[in-house]
Amino acid sequence: MSEKIKIIILGASGYTGAELLRLLLPHPYVEIVGLSAERNAGHRVAEVFPHLGIYDLPALVHIDELDFSKADLVFCALPHGTTQAVIAGLPKHLRVVDLSADFRLRDPQLYAQWYGHEHQALALQREAVYGLTELHRAEIKSARLVANPGCYPTASSLPLIPLLKQKLIETDGIIIDAKSGVSGAGRAVKQNYLYSEVTGGMSAYGVANHRHTPEIEQILADASGRPLRVTFTPHLIPMARGMMATVYTRLRPGKTVAEARAALRAAYDAEPFVHILPEGHLPATHHVAASNHVHISLVPGAVEGQVILLSVIDNLVKGASGQAIQNMNLMYGFDETLALTQAAVFP
């Protein structure tokens, strides 16, 4: 491609905005032409993110100061609930990768139930393609609006999808016990995310009512071909980044652990970022930190017929900004792995 695509990032002063910048800087076919950040408007990136201060980047401005006319694609990293109206007001020539939850749920009534207000851009919601790359690669290529998945749904669903598609596991009784680093809560100052409130402990939140639940159920229903419910409990753990999902499920009668492990390998062996670990190896968040990789293990449970799936991602990369760039690469016909081949940072 001879010309670079011109990118605007809305909400560039949050953690996902910073990760978009970090990952896009070495991309050979991208030029960043605009950055919005309402609370930090008027500041240079160096003032907000000193680690990015050595790069020549646009200043942070209010969204209404941006010139969208010469841009090609917008990454929208704005808070849930505020994104619908913003995207609806953008020029129609723009392609959009939205990192909020505003366009992930197909059913507008389900959206209203879980997010507490009616959807404000129903036509766009019907147009949006769900951006779990490994599941919707073909549709993403031609999409104008991609709804980037949540971090918990990405980590939780990838190990389950092949097993449900092959009808190897029961659709009822799936339990997802997931844990995230504090960056998943965003960069806003909140008392329960202060160092002294978080460090040295672990806490559950959103028990039985976390907003990622219907998103997970939507993905898994598509895979299984029928509606299903899951028990999903997220936890906050005292680390900056990383996410682990431990998933408990049961084999269907007559199905074996070997078949389940073979189904995972068949589904993901050709995938550049999803890796099924050898038998006996367990994933750890350190092994994917700051990378776009997913590590998955399958372990037989102590109870006959039970299967335990373990999945780790970096919540800010494959769980957000990395997957958004993976989708952008598909949308423009680039190599899907472009700017995303970094190894994990360890230790």
Side-chain angles (χ1 to χ4, degrees), residues 39 70-71 105 109 112 165 176 192-193 195 200 204 210 221 245 248 263 286 289:
R39 289 194 302 273
K70 296 180 181 178
L105 298 180
Q109 292 183 337
K165 280 187 171 181
I176 301 168
N192 54 319
Y193 302 135
Y195 178 83
H210 193 278
Y248 301 90
H286 272 314

Side-chain angles (χ1 to χ4, degrees), residues 187-201:
R187 209 180 184 206
V189 178
K190 300 174 186 175
Q191 178 178 311
N192 54 319
Y193 302 135
L194 296 174
Y195 178 83
S196 56
E197 303 275 340
V198 173
T199 191

Side-chain angles (χ1 to χ4, degrees), residues 15-308:
Y15 289 135
T16 55
E19 285 295 270
L20 283 167
L21 287 170
R22 179 179 73 87
L23 296 167
L24 286 170
L25 281 167
H27 198 297
Y29 304 127
V30 162
E31 180 184 355
I32 299 167
V33 299
L35 302 172
S36 85
E38 299 308 291
R39 289 194 302 273
N40 290 292
H43 294 280
R44 303 294 301 177
V45 170
E47 298 174 78
V48 180
F49 293 117
H51 69 296
L52 299 172
I54 62 173
Y55 301 100
D56 183 20
L57 291 166
L60 300 165
V61 299
H62 288 289
I63 192 169
D64 55 9
E65 298 177 71
L66 290 167
D67 180 6
F68 291 101
S69 64
K70 296 180 181 178
D72 299 299
L73 178 137
V74 171
F75 287 107
C76 196
L78 298 172
H80 309 315
T82 66
T83 304
Q84 301 154 36
V86 170
I87 293 180
L90 292 177
K92 302 304 181 188
H93 76 277
L94 289 169
R95 302 178 85 175
V96 179
V97 179
D98 178 32
L99 284 79
S100 82
D102 280 13
F103 295 96
R104 295 174 187 162
L105 298 180
R106 292 192 297 265
D107 183 346
Q109 292 183 337
L110 195 62
Y111 176 88
Q113 173 189 335
W114 283 88
Y115 287 88
H117 62 89
E118 298 297 319
H119 202 283
Q120 303 301 306
L122 290 177
L124 281 174
Q125 187 186 43
R126 288 189 289 270
E127 178 186 347
V129 172
Y130 188 70
L132 187 56
T133 318
E134 291 75 17
L135 198 61
H136 296 297
R137 191 172 272 114
E139 298 96 322
I140 291 165
K141 288 179 180 179
S142 59
R144 188 177 80 86
L145 169 59
V146 172
N148 214 59
C151 47
Y152 281 124
T154 297
S156 303
S157 301
L158 283 171
L160 284 166
I161 289 166
L163 307 187
L164 287 167
K165 280 187 171 181
Q166 298 298 320
K167 303 192 183 307
L168 295 170
I169 57 172
E170 302 286 5
T171 56
D172 62 327
I174 295 173
I175 298 171
I176 301 168
D177 178 350
K179 300 169 178 67
S180 175
V182 184
S183 60
R187 209 180 184 206
V189 178
K190 300 174 186 175
Q191 178 178 311
N192 54 319
Y193 302 135
L194 296 174
Y195 178 83
S196 56
E197 303 275 340
V198 173
T199 191
M202 183 175 76
S203 59
Y205 63 100
V207 179
N209 64 2
H210 193 278
R211 288 173 172 177
H212 280 170
T213 304
E215 185 181 343
I216 294 169
E217 291 174 344
Q218 177 177 273
I219 300 167
L220 300 185
D222 287 347
S224 65
R226 52 162 290 182
L228 52 74
R229 304 295 299 274
V230 301
T231 299
F232 169 60
T233 306
H235 301 77
L236 186 69
I237 57 177
M239 63 183 188
R241 61 165 78 213
M243 175 169 289
M244 172 176 277
T246 305
V247 182
Y248 301 90
T249 185
R250 292 174 294 116
L251 294 167
R252 296 183 70 180
K255 304 302 180 181
T256 67
V257 169
E259 288 177 291
R261 191 172 282 119
L264 287 172
R265 291 202 185 101
Y268 296 127
D269 269 358
E271 289 292 341
F273 297 117
V274 184
H275 311 281
I276 308 305
L277 301 186
E279 187 174 349
H281 291 240
L282 300 178
T285 56
H286 272 314
H287 301 161
V288 296
S291 82
N292 201 53
H293 294 288
V294 186
H295 286 189
I296 296 172
S297 282
L298 183 151
V299 179
V303 177
E304 186 173 351
Q306 185 186 57
V307 167
I308 302 171

